[in-house]
Amino acid sequence: MSLFVTVNGGYQQPLVSPISFSQTNVVLFGNQTTTVTVSGGSGSGYYVAYNSATGSLQTSVYGNTLTLTSLSNNSATSAGLVVCSSSGSCGGLTV
């Protein structure tokens, strides 16, 4: 049996051992930055596998810290993210 996580835009990623986030619904307005702690899964290291708003949301991962920066001017940023571990464990996050 396979379990998949689907994000806006139709991206599907197998959900092996889900990862979790310190925040699940992040709200960002123009030029704001926040960090989210990623945990769970297996393997070493995390990466952003999918970002539905690459033009308005900049992402980076260092260790288990996901940094999100809104590139929108004076408006809320809206995006769906899939973050995975090196072993393929994934989790979804709404911004």
Side-chain angles (χ1 to χ4, degrees), residues 15-93:
L15 191 59
V16 179
S17 173
I19 61 175
S20 58
F21 306 95
S22 59
Q23 302 178 61
T24 53
N25 287 308
V26 179
V27 178
L28 281 179
F29 289 92
N31 301 313
Q32 285 185 326
T33 297
T34 193
T35 58
V36 177
T37 302
V38 183
S39 59
S42 56
S44 60
Y46 298 101
Y47 65 96
V48 176
Y50 178 76
N51 176 355
S52 68
T54 55
S56 61
L57 182 67
Q58 182 178 16
T59 63
S60 64
V61 181
Y62 183 77
N64 69 334
T65 301
L66 170 65
T67 301
L68 306 170
T69 302
S70 171
L71 303 177
S72 300
N73 290 328
N74 301 320
S75 61
T77 298
S78 177
L81 300 175
V82 174
V83 177
C84 299
S85 70
S86 59
S87 68
S89 302
C90 296
L93 179 67

